[in-house]
Protein backbone atom coordinates (compact mmCIF):
# COMPACT_ATOMS: atom_id res chain seq x y z
CA UNK A 1 0.00 0.00 0.00
CA UNK A 2 1.43 3.36 -1.03
CA UNK A 3 1.67 5.92 1.77
CA UNK A 4 0.42 9.35 0.62
CA UNK A 5 3.08 12.04 0.47
CA UNK A 6 2.83 14.44 3.39
CA UNK A 7 1.64 17.92 2.56
CA UNK A 8 2.64 19.65 5.76
CA UNK A 9 6.30 20.24 4.96
CA UNK A 10 7.98 23.61 4.79
CA UNK A 11 7.23 25.93 1.89
CA UNK A 12 10.50 25.19 0.08
CA UNK A 13 10.21 21.39 0.26
CA UNK A 14 6.64 21.56 -0.93
CA UNK A 15 7.72 23.79 -3.81
CA UNK A 16 10.38 21.27 -4.81
CA UNK A 17 8.01 18.36 -4.14
CA UNK A 18 10.50 16.58 -1.91
CA UNK A 19 10.13 14.96 1.49
CA UNK A 20 10.55 17.33 4.43
CA UNK A 21 11.72 16.11 7.84
CA UNK A 22 9.70 18.92 9.55
CA UNK A 23 12.66 19.97 11.67
CA UNK A 24 12.08 23.30 13.46
CA UNK A 25 12.74 26.10 13.02
CA UNK A 26 14.61 25.12 9.82
CA UNK A 27 14.37 21.73 8.18
CA UNK A 28 17.52 19.79 7.22
CA UNK A 29 17.15 20.44 3.49
CA UNK A 30 16.93 24.22 4.04
CA UNK A 31 19.89 24.69 6.39
CA UNK A 32 21.84 26.42 3.60
CA UNK A 33 18.98 28.83 2.90
CA UNK A 34 17.11 29.21 6.23
CA UNK A 35 15.13 32.27 5.15
CA UNK A 36 13.29 30.20 2.55
CA UNK A 37 12.10 27.66 5.13
CA UNK A 38 8.64 28.62 6.32
CA UNK A 39 5.81 26.68 7.88
CA UNK A 40 2.50 28.27 6.90
CA UNK A 41 -1.06 27.77 8.11
CA UNK A 42 -3.04 25.84 5.54
CA UNK A 43 -6.67 24.81 5.72
CA UNK A 44 -7.13 21.38 4.12
CA UNK A 45 -9.26 18.34 4.77
CA UNK A 46 -7.77 16.09 7.43
CA UNK A 47 -8.93 12.46 7.45
CA UNK A 48 -6.66 11.16 10.15
CA UNK A 49 -7.84 11.17 13.73
CA UNK A 50 -5.68 12.70 16.41
CA UNK A 51 -3.83 10.48 18.81
CA UNK A 52 -5.40 9.46 22.09
CA UNK A 53 -2.77 11.57 23.85
CA UNK A 54 -4.01 14.76 22.18
CA UNK A 55 -7.60 13.87 22.95
CA UNK A 56 -6.75 13.37 26.62
CA UNK A 57 -4.94 16.71 26.62
CA UNK A 58 -8.01 18.48 25.21
CA UNK A 59 -10.26 16.70 27.67
CA UNK A 60 -8.05 17.81 30.56
CA UNK A 61 -8.21 21.42 29.38
CA UNK A 62 -11.98 21.39 29.14
CA UNK A 63 -12.96 19.18 32.08
CA UNK A 64 -15.41 21.16 34.19
CA UNK A 65 -18.99 20.90 35.46
CA UNK A 66 -20.48 22.87 32.53
CA UNK A 67 -24.21 22.89 31.94
CA UNK A 68 -25.37 21.09 28.76
CA UNK A 69 -26.05 24.47 27.14
CA UNK A 70 -22.38 25.32 27.35
CA UNK A 71 -21.40 22.72 24.80
CA UNK A 72 -18.96 25.06 23.06
CA UNK A 73 -15.81 23.67 24.66
CA UNK A 74 -15.83 19.91 24.98
CA UNK A 75 -13.11 17.39 24.40
CA UNK A 76 -15.23 15.94 21.61
CA UNK A 77 -15.45 19.24 19.74
CA UNK A 78 -11.72 19.84 20.04
CA UNK A 79 -10.93 16.28 19.00
CA UNK A 80 -13.03 16.59 15.88
CA UNK A 81 -11.58 19.99 14.96
CA UNK A 82 -8.47 18.60 13.19
CA UNK A 83 -10.77 16.75 10.78
CA UNK A 84 -11.93 20.15 9.55
CA UNK A 85 -8.78 22.23 9.88
CA UNK A 86 -5.19 21.05 9.78
CA UNK A 87 -2.84 23.55 11.42
CA UNK A 88 0.62 23.08 9.95
CA UNK A 89 3.39 23.69 12.49
CA UNK A 90 4.69 27.25 12.66
CA UNK A 91 7.51 28.89 14.62
CA UNK A 92 4.86 31.12 16.22
CA UNK A 93 3.02 28.06 17.53
CA UNK A 94 5.95 26.57 19.35
CA UNK A 95 3.99 25.22 22.34
CA UNK A 96 1.04 22.89 22.74
CA UNK A 97 -0.58 25.64 24.79
CA UNK A 98 -0.59 28.16 21.94
CA UNK A 99 -1.72 25.52 19.44
CA UNK A 100 -4.57 24.49 21.75
CA UNK A 101 -5.86 28.05 22.12
CA UNK A 102 -5.61 28.79 18.41
CA UNK A 103 -7.67 25.68 17.69
CA UNK A 104 -10.12 26.79 20.37
CA UNK A 105 -10.39 30.23 18.76
CA UNK A 106 -11.07 28.71 15.33
CA UNK A 107 -13.62 26.18 16.57
CA UNK A 108 -15.40 28.00 19.39
CA UNK A 109 -14.49 31.65 20.05
CA UNK A 110 -14.68 33.00 16.49
CA UNK A 111 -18.05 31.34 15.70
CA UNK A 112 -19.52 33.05 18.77
CA UNK A 113 -18.01 36.46 18.06
CA UNK A 114 -18.97 36.25 14.37
CA UNK A 115 -21.88 33.76 14.15
CA UNK A 116 -22.92 34.79 10.62
CA UNK A 117 -19.62 36.03 9.18
CA UNK A 118 -18.27 34.58 5.93
CA UNK A 119 -16.22 31.51 6.77
CA UNK A 120 -13.45 32.86 4.59
CA UNK A 121 -13.08 35.81 6.97
CA UNK A 122 -12.33 33.60 9.98
CA UNK A 123 -9.91 31.55 7.89
CA UNK A 124 -8.10 34.66 6.71
CA UNK A 125 -8.05 36.07 10.23
CA UNK A 126 -6.26 32.99 11.54
CA UNK A 127 -4.04 32.62 8.48
CA UNK A 128 -2.84 36.24 8.67
CA UNK A 129 -2.18 35.93 12.39
CA UNK A 130 0.45 33.27 11.64
CA UNK A 131 2.52 35.98 9.97
CA UNK A 132 1.63 38.72 12.48
CA UNK A 133 2.72 37.88 16.04
CA UNK A 134 0.77 40.64 17.80
CA UNK A 135 -2.47 39.59 16.07
CA UNK A 136 -1.84 35.94 16.88
CA UNK A 137 -1.28 36.73 20.56
CA UNK A 138 -4.45 38.86 20.63
CA UNK A 139 -6.44 35.90 19.26
CA UNK A 140 -4.83 33.55 21.80
CA UNK A 141 -5.71 35.97 24.61
CA UNK A 142 -9.34 36.09 23.39
CA UNK A 143 -9.52 32.29 23.25
CA UNK A 144 -7.92 31.98 26.69
CA UNK A 145 -10.38 34.45 28.18
CA UNK A 146 -13.32 32.71 26.53
CA UNK A 147 -12.15 29.32 27.81
CA UNK A 148 -11.71 30.55 31.39
CA UNK A 149 -15.20 32.11 31.42
CA UNK A 150 -16.72 29.02 29.85
CA UNK A 151 -15.43 26.60 32.47
CA UNK A 152 -15.39 29.09 35.36
CA UNK A 153 -11.61 28.89 35.75
CA UNK A 154 -10.48 31.82 37.90
CA UNK A 155 -7.18 30.27 38.99
CA UNK A 156 -3.94 32.20 38.98
CA UNK A 157 -2.56 29.91 36.28
CA UNK A 158 -5.42 30.75 33.90
CA UNK A 159 -5.10 34.49 34.54
CA UNK A 160 -1.33 34.30 34.01
CA UNK A 161 -1.76 32.63 30.61
CA UNK A 162 -4.25 35.25 29.44
CA UNK A 163 -2.10 38.10 30.76
CA UNK A 164 0.96 36.65 29.02
CA UNK A 165 -0.75 36.55 25.61
CA UNK A 166 -2.27 40.01 26.16
CA UNK A 167 1.09 41.53 27.09
CA UNK A 168 2.73 39.95 24.04
CA UNK A 169 -0.02 41.39 21.85
CA UNK A 170 0.25 44.89 23.33
CA UNK A 171 4.04 44.88 23.17
CA UNK A 172 3.95 43.81 19.53
CA UNK A 173 1.28 46.40 18.78
CA UNK A 174 3.43 49.19 20.22
CA UNK A 175 6.33 48.08 18.06
CA UNK A 176 4.09 47.97 14.99
CA UNK A 177 2.98 51.56 15.61
CA UNK A 178 6.57 52.72 15.17
CA UNK A 179 7.03 51.24 11.71
CA UNK A 180 5.39 50.43 8.41
CA UNK A 181 3.09 47.87 10.04
CA UNK A 182 1.03 50.74 11.41
CA UNK A 183 -0.75 51.00 8.05
CA UNK A 184 -1.56 47.29 7.79
CA UNK A 185 -5.07 45.92 8.29
CA UNK A 186 -3.71 43.32 10.74
CA UNK A 187 -2.57 46.05 13.11
CA UNK A 188 -6.07 47.53 13.31
CA UNK A 189 -7.46 44.03 13.77
CA UNK A 190 -5.18 43.49 16.79
CA UNK A 191 -6.50 46.64 18.46
CA UNK A 192 -10.11 45.59 17.75
CA UNK A 193 -9.50 42.09 19.09
CA UNK A 194 -8.02 43.48 22.31
CA UNK A 195 -10.93 45.93 22.61
CA UNK A 196 -13.53 43.19 22.12
CA UNK A 197 -11.80 40.95 24.64
CA UNK A 198 -11.70 43.82 27.16
CA UNK A 199 -15.45 44.33 26.74
CA UNK A 200 -16.17 40.63 27.24
CA UNK A 201 -13.92 40.60 30.31
CA UNK A 202 -15.53 43.73 31.76
CA UNK A 203 -12.33 45.79 31.58
CA UNK A 204 -14.28 49.05 31.50
CA UNK A 205 -11.31 51.42 31.31
CA UNK A 206 -8.81 49.69 29.03
CA UNK A 207 -11.19 48.96 26.16
CA UNK A 208 -11.73 52.66 25.52
CA UNK A 209 -8.05 53.16 24.79
CA UNK A 210 -8.04 50.20 22.42
CA UNK A 211 -11.15 51.44 20.55
CA UNK A 212 -9.67 54.93 20.29
CA UNK A 213 -6.45 53.43 18.95
CA UNK A 214 -8.38 51.28 16.48
CA UNK A 215 -10.17 54.40 15.22
CA UNK A 216 -6.88 56.15 14.44
CA UNK A 217 -5.35 53.03 12.92
CA UNK A 218 -8.33 52.31 10.69
CA UNK A 219 -8.48 55.94 9.56
CA UNK A 220 -4.80 55.85 8.63
CA UNK A 221 -5.12 52.50 6.89
CA UNK A 222 -8.12 53.53 4.77
CA UNK A 223 -6.53 56.89 3.91
CA UNK A 224 -3.41 55.04 2.81
CA UNK A 225 -5.33 52.75 0.45
CA UNK A 226 -5.48 54.18 -3.05
CA UNK A 227 -8.59 52.30 -4.13
CA UNK A 228 -12.03 51.82 -2.67
CA UNK A 229 -12.62 48.43 -1.12
CA UNK A 230 -14.09 45.68 -3.24
CA UNK A 231 -16.55 43.08 -1.99
CA UNK A 232 -13.85 40.46 -2.64
CA UNK A 233 -11.67 42.01 0.11
CA UNK A 234 -13.47 39.90 2.71
CA UNK A 235 -10.93 40.46 5.47
CA UNK A 236 -10.87 44.25 5.20
CA UNK A 237 -14.62 44.62 4.61
CA UNK A 238 -15.34 42.56 7.73
CA UNK A 239 -12.72 44.55 9.63
CA UNK A 240 -14.54 47.81 8.82
CA UNK A 241 -17.91 46.28 9.77
CA UNK A 242 -16.50 44.97 13.06
CA UNK A 243 -15.22 48.44 13.90
CA UNK A 244 -18.53 50.05 12.90
CA UNK A 245 -20.49 47.72 15.18
CA UNK A 246 -18.27 48.45 18.18
CA UNK A 247 -18.18 52.18 17.54
CA UNK A 248 -21.94 52.57 17.14
CA UNK A 249 -22.71 50.58 20.29
CA UNK A 250 -20.13 52.56 22.29
CA UNK A 251 -21.74 55.81 21.12
CA UNK A 252 -25.24 54.65 22.11
CA UNK A 253 -23.95 53.74 25.57
CA UNK A 254 -23.06 57.39 26.12
CA UNK A 255 -19.34 56.73 26.29
CA UNK A 256 -18.20 59.76 24.37
CA UNK A 257 -18.43 63.04 26.28
CA UNK A 258 -18.57 65.07 23.07
CA UNK A 259 -21.12 63.62 20.67
CA UNK A 260 -19.94 65.86 17.81
CA UNK A 261 -16.25 65.02 18.03
CA UNK A 262 -16.20 63.26 14.65
CA UNK A 263 -18.33 61.89 11.85
CA UNK A 264 -19.35 58.41 12.95
CA UNK A 265 -20.25 57.28 9.44
CA UNK A 266 -17.00 58.03 7.63
CA UNK A 267 -16.40 54.28 7.17
CA UNK A 268 -19.69 53.65 5.34
CA UNK A 269 -18.22 54.70 2.01
CA UNK A 270 -15.57 52.02 2.49
CA UNK A 271 -18.11 49.18 2.73
CA UNK A 272 -19.20 47.93 -0.72
CA UNK A 273 -22.98 47.94 -1.14
CA UNK A 274 -23.38 49.21 2.43
CA UNK A 275 -26.74 50.81 1.71
CA UNK A 276 -28.37 47.93 -0.13
CA UNK A 277 -31.23 46.35 1.81
CA UNK A 278 -29.93 43.20 3.43
CA UNK A 279 -29.05 42.10 6.96
CA UNK A 280 -25.33 42.42 7.57
CA UNK A 281 -23.49 39.22 8.48
CA UNK A 282 -21.25 40.89 11.09
CA UNK A 283 -23.60 43.22 13.00
CA UNK A 284 -26.90 41.36 12.56
CA UNK A 285 -28.75 44.40 11.21
CA UNK A 286 -28.86 46.29 7.93
CA UNK A 287 -25.96 48.74 7.35
CA UNK A 288 -28.66 51.26 6.41
CA UNK A 289 -29.36 51.53 10.14
CA UNK A 290 -25.83 52.70 11.01
CA UNK A 291 -26.23 56.41 10.10
CA UNK A 292 -29.57 56.43 11.93
CA UNK A 293 -27.97 54.96 15.05
CA UNK A 294 -25.23 57.56 14.81
CA UNK A 295 -27.78 60.38 14.49
CA UNK A 296 -29.75 58.91 17.39
CA UNK A 297 -26.67 58.88 19.59
CA UNK A 298 -25.98 62.50 18.68
CA UNK A 299 -29.53 63.60 19.51
CA UNK A 300 -29.69 61.65 22.78
CA UNK A 301 -26.26 62.93 23.79
CA UNK A 302 -27.27 66.61 23.84
CA UNK A 303 -26.18 68.01 27.19
CA UNK A 304 -29.39 69.97 27.89
CA UNK A 305 -31.51 66.92 27.14
CA UNK A 306 -29.35 64.67 29.28
CA UNK A 307 -29.48 67.04 32.29
CA UNK A 308 -33.24 67.49 31.96
CA UNK A 309 -33.87 63.76 31.98
CA UNK A 310 -31.46 63.10 34.85
CA UNK A 311 -32.94 65.84 37.06
CA UNK A 312 -36.57 65.22 36.10
CA UNK A 313 -36.96 68.70 34.63
CA UNK A 314 -39.53 69.70 32.05
CA UNK A 315 -37.88 69.95 28.67
CA UNK A 316 -39.40 70.86 25.33
CA UNK A 317 -37.48 69.68 22.32
CA UNK A 318 -36.78 72.60 19.94
CA UNK A 319 -38.93 72.52 16.82
CA UNK A 320 -36.06 71.80 14.45
CA UNK A 321 -34.89 68.89 16.61
CA UNK A 322 -38.42 67.58 16.94
CA UNK A 323 -38.73 67.62 13.16
CA UNK A 324 -35.38 65.77 12.90
CA UNK A 325 -36.58 63.17 15.41
CA UNK A 326 -39.85 62.59 13.58
CA UNK A 327 -38.06 62.28 10.24
CA UNK A 328 -35.61 59.84 11.84
CA UNK A 329 -38.49 57.80 13.24
CA UNK A 330 -40.04 57.43 9.80
CA UNK A 331 -36.70 56.38 8.32
CA UNK A 332 -36.19 53.73 11.01
CA UNK A 333 -39.67 52.28 10.51
CA UNK A 334 -39.03 52.00 6.76
CA UNK A 335 -36.22 49.52 7.47
CA UNK A 336 -38.33 47.05 9.45
CA UNK A 337 -38.36 44.29 6.84
CA UNK A 338 -34.96 43.24 5.56
CA UNK A 339 -33.69 39.87 4.43
CA UNK A 340 -30.24 38.29 4.22
CA UNK A 341 -28.07 38.27 1.11
CA UNK A 342 -27.82 35.22 -1.13
CA UNK A 343 -24.24 34.72 0.05
CA UNK A 344 -25.28 34.59 3.71
CA UNK A 345 -28.09 32.17 2.90
CA UNK A 346 -25.70 29.93 0.97
CA UNK A 347 -23.07 30.01 3.74
CA UNK A 348 -25.33 29.41 6.73
CA UNK A 349 -28.64 27.96 5.56
CA UNK A 350 -32.25 29.02 6.07
CA UNK A 351 -32.27 28.50 9.87
CA UNK A 352 -29.69 31.15 10.68
CA UNK A 353 -31.00 33.33 7.86
CA UNK A 354 -34.40 33.42 9.54
CA UNK A 355 -32.75 34.24 12.87
CA UNK A 356 -30.85 37.12 11.27
CA UNK A 357 -34.05 38.63 9.90
CA UNK A 358 -35.31 38.73 13.48
CA UNK A 359 -32.06 40.13 14.92
CA UNK A 360 -32.51 42.97 12.45
CA UNK A 361 -36.12 43.53 13.56
CA UNK A 362 -34.98 43.53 17.19
CA UNK A 363 -32.45 46.26 16.39
CA UNK A 364 -35.01 48.35 14.48
CA UNK A 365 -37.45 48.32 17.39
CA UNK A 366 -34.66 48.88 19.94
CA UNK A 367 -33.65 51.94 17.92
CA UNK A 368 -37.25 53.21 18.05
CA UNK A 369 -37.34 52.51 21.79
CA UNK A 370 -34.18 54.55 22.31
CA UNK A 371 -35.63 57.38 20.20
CA UNK A 372 -38.90 57.43 22.11
CA UNK A 373 -37.33 57.25 25.56
CA UNK A 374 -34.16 59.31 25.12
CA UNK A 375 -35.07 61.93 22.52
CA UNK A 376 -38.85 62.32 22.57
CA UNK A 377 -38.81 61.65 26.35
CA UNK A 378 -41.91 59.47 26.35
CA UNK A 379 -42.72 57.83 29.72
CA UNK A 380 -42.22 54.09 30.18
CA UNK A 381 -45.97 53.39 30.20
CA UNK A 382 -46.59 55.25 26.93
CA UNK A 383 -48.29 53.17 24.23
CA UNK A 384 -45.47 53.68 21.74
CA UNK A 385 -42.87 52.57 24.28
CA UNK A 386 -44.88 49.46 25.12
CA UNK A 387 -45.28 48.72 21.41
CA UNK A 388 -41.51 48.95 20.95
CA UNK A 389 -40.88 46.54 23.83
CA UNK A 390 -43.46 44.03 22.63
CA UNK A 391 -42.00 44.13 19.11
CA UNK A 392 -38.50 43.43 20.48
CA UNK A 393 -39.84 40.52 22.54
CA UNK A 394 -41.65 39.09 19.50
CA UNK A 395 -38.46 39.26 17.43
CA UNK A 396 -36.50 37.51 20.19
CA UNK A 397 -39.11 34.76 20.47
CA UNK A 398 -38.71 34.00 16.76
CA UNK A 399 -35.00 33.26 17.31
CA UNK A 400 -34.01 29.80 18.52
CA UNK A 401 -33.05 30.08 22.23
CA UNK A 402 -29.57 28.65 21.63
CA UNK A 403 -28.95 30.06 18.17
CA UNK A 404 -25.60 31.89 17.96
CA UNK A 405 -27.62 34.79 16.51
CA UNK A 406 -28.61 35.62 20.11
CA UNK A 407 -25.04 36.79 20.64
CA UNK A 408 -25.72 39.73 18.31
CA UNK A 409 -28.76 41.20 20.08
CA UNK A 410 -27.40 42.17 23.49
CA UNK A 411 -28.41 45.83 23.03
CA UNK A 412 -32.05 45.09 22.06
CA UNK A 413 -32.40 42.52 24.85
CA UNK A 414 -30.88 44.78 27.49
CA UNK A 415 -32.91 47.81 26.38
CA UNK A 416 -36.21 45.94 26.45
CA UNK A 417 -35.30 44.25 29.74
CA UNK A 418 -34.58 47.54 31.48
CA UNK A 419 -37.70 49.27 30.16
CA UNK A 420 -40.29 46.57 30.85
CA UNK A 421 -42.02 45.93 34.16
CA UNK A 422 -43.70 42.80 32.83
CA UNK A 423 -42.49 39.75 34.78
CA UNK A 424 -42.82 37.26 31.91
CA UNK A 425 -40.90 39.56 29.55
CA UNK A 426 -38.16 39.99 32.13
CA UNK A 427 -37.96 36.23 32.63
CA UNK A 428 -37.67 35.61 28.89
CA UNK A 429 -34.82 38.09 28.54
CA UNK A 430 -33.10 36.78 31.67
CA UNK A 431 -33.19 33.24 30.28
CA UNK A 432 -31.90 34.25 26.85
CA UNK A 433 -29.04 36.21 28.39
CA UNK A 434 -28.25 33.29 30.71
CA UNK A 435 -27.96 31.01 27.66
CA UNK A 436 -25.33 33.28 26.12
CA UNK A 437 -23.59 33.69 29.46
CA UNK A 438 -23.28 29.90 29.71
CA UNK A 439 -21.47 29.91 26.37
CA UNK A 440 -18.73 32.08 27.86
CA UNK A 441 -19.93 35.47 26.62
CA UNK A 442 -18.64 37.75 29.38
CA UNK A 443 -20.39 40.85 28.03
CA UNK A 444 -23.69 39.09 28.78
CA UNK A 445 -22.53 38.41 32.34
CA UNK A 446 -21.89 42.09 33.06
CA UNK A 447 -25.08 43.23 31.26
CA UNK A 448 -27.19 40.73 33.17
CA UNK A 449 -25.78 41.90 36.50
CA UNK A 450 -26.40 45.57 35.68
CA UNK A 451 -29.92 44.84 34.44
CA UNK A 452 -30.78 43.26 37.79
CA UNK A 453 -29.19 46.24 39.56
CA UNK A 454 -31.39 48.55 37.50
CA UNK A 455 -34.54 46.58 38.40
CA UNK A 456 -33.69 46.71 42.11
CA UNK A 457 -33.19 50.47 41.94
CA UNK A 458 -36.76 51.01 40.71
CA UNK A 459 -35.50 53.96 38.66
CA UNK A 460 -37.89 55.54 36.17
CA UNK A 461 -34.97 57.00 34.18
CA UNK A 462 -33.75 55.52 30.91
CA UNK A 463 -31.06 52.96 31.74
CA UNK A 464 -28.14 54.88 30.17
CA UNK A 465 -28.98 58.05 32.12
CA UNK A 466 -29.32 56.08 35.35
CA UNK A 467 -25.95 54.35 34.95
CA UNK A 468 -24.21 57.53 33.79
CA UNK A 469 -25.29 59.21 37.04
CA UNK A 470 -23.64 56.34 38.93
CA UNK A 471 -20.47 56.59 36.85
CA UNK A 472 -21.12 53.21 35.21
CA UNK A 473 -20.68 52.53 31.52
CA UNK A 474 -21.17 49.40 29.46
CA UNK A 475 -20.97 48.61 25.78
CA UNK A 476 -23.68 46.23 24.64
CA UNK A 477 -21.62 44.46 21.97
Amino acid sequence: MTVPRRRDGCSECRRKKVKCDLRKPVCTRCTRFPKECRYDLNFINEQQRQSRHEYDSAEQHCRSPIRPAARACSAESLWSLPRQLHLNPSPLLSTKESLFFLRLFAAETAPLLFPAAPKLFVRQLISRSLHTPHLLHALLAAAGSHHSRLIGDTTTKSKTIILKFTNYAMSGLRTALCGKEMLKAETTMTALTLCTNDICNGNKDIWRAHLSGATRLLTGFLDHKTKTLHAADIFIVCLVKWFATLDVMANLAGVYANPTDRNRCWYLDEIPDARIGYVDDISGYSPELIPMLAQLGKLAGRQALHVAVEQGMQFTLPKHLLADAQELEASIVSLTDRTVSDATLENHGSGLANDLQNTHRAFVHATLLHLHRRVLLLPRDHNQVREDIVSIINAIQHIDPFSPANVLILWPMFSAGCETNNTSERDLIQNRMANMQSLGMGNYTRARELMRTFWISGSSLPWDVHFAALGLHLVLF
Side-chain angles (χ1 to χ4, degrees), residues 103-346:
R103 286 174 171 169
L104 183 75
F105 182 86
E108 313 299 342
T109 307
L112 281 177
L113 290 176
F114 312 107
K119 295 176 182 178
L120 181 59
F121 165 62
V122 176
R123 293 189 175 196
Q124 283 201 18
L125 176 60
I126 297 173
S127 181
R128 290 183 182 221
S129 75
L130 265 293
H131 304 284
T132 313
H134 53 78
L135 177 56
L136 173 64
H137 289 127
L139 300 186
L140 296 180
S145 298
H146 178 212
H147 181 254
S148 66
R149 292 191 302 267
L150 187 63
I151 67 174
D153 185 0
T154 58
T155 62
T156 302
K157 180 180 179 181
S158 177
K159 293 178 181 178
T160 301
I161 292 173
I162 297 168
L163 184 61
K164 175 183 68 175
F165 288 140
T166 302
N167 287 341
Y168 284 159
M170 293 182 67
S171 176
L173 186 58
R174 292 191 193 99
T175 302
L177 296 180
C178 299
K180 294 181 179 179
E181 284 194 24
M182 180 177 179
L183 297 178
K184 293 178 65 175
E186 291 84 348
T187 305
T188 304
M189 186 64 79
T190 297
L192 277 182
T193 302
L194 290 172
C195 177
T196 302
N197 198 33
D198 289 333
I199 292 172
C200 289
N201 283 334
N203 299 332
K204 56 185 178 181
D205 297 320
I206 303 175
W207 73 262
R208 300 187 195 184
H210 287 148
L211 182 59
S212 177
T215 303
R216 295 193 296 271
L217 287 170
L218 186 59
T219 303
F221 169 72
L222 294 176
D223 287 345
H224 180 70
K225 284 183 68 67
T226 56
K227 296 181 180 179
T228 305
L229 299 184
H230 297 288
D233 298 328
I234 296 295
F235 182 79
I236 299 174
V237 168
C238 289
L239 165 63
V240 174
K241 291 178 179 179
W242 185 2
F243 169 82
T245 304
L246 268 174
D247 187 55
V248 166
M249 287 299 105
N251 181 39
L252 286 172
V255 170
Y256 299 104
N258 182 6
T260 59
D261 57 354
R262 61 182 171 84
N263 175 13
R264 300 201 179 282
C265 297
W266 54 268
Y267 39 73
L268 275 183
D269 292 335
E270 304 294 340
I271 305 177
D273 301 327
R275 300 180 187 278
I276 293 180
Y278 62 89
V279 181
D280 182 64
D281 48 17
I282 294 292
S283 66
Y285 53 84
S286 171
E288 298 165 286
L289 196 59
I290 292 178
M292 300 177 195
L293 289 168
Q295 184 182 357
L296 178 60
K298 185 176 180 180
L299 286 171
R302 290 178 61 84
Q303 187 67 23
L305 184 62
H306 186 86
V307 171
V309 174
E310 183 179 0
Q311 298 181 359
M313 299 165 50
Q314 290 293 327
F315 184 84
T316 302
L317 206 63
K319 288 185 178 180
H320 70 284
L321 291 181
L322 180 60
D324 289 345
Q326 291 172 339
E327 183 179 351
L328 177 59
E329 181 178 33
S331 298
I332 296 168
V333 171
S334 71
L335 299 181
T336 301
D337 294 317
R338 288 293 182 268
T339 186
V340 300
S341 66
D342 292 339
T344 301
L345 181 60
E346 182 179 350

Side-chain angles (χ1 to χ4, degrees), residues 22-33:
L22 304 179
R23 187 177 176 180
K24 307 293 188 309
V26 180
C27 78
T28 302
R29 287 182 177 274
C30 293
T31 52
R32 292 181 58 191
F33 306 99

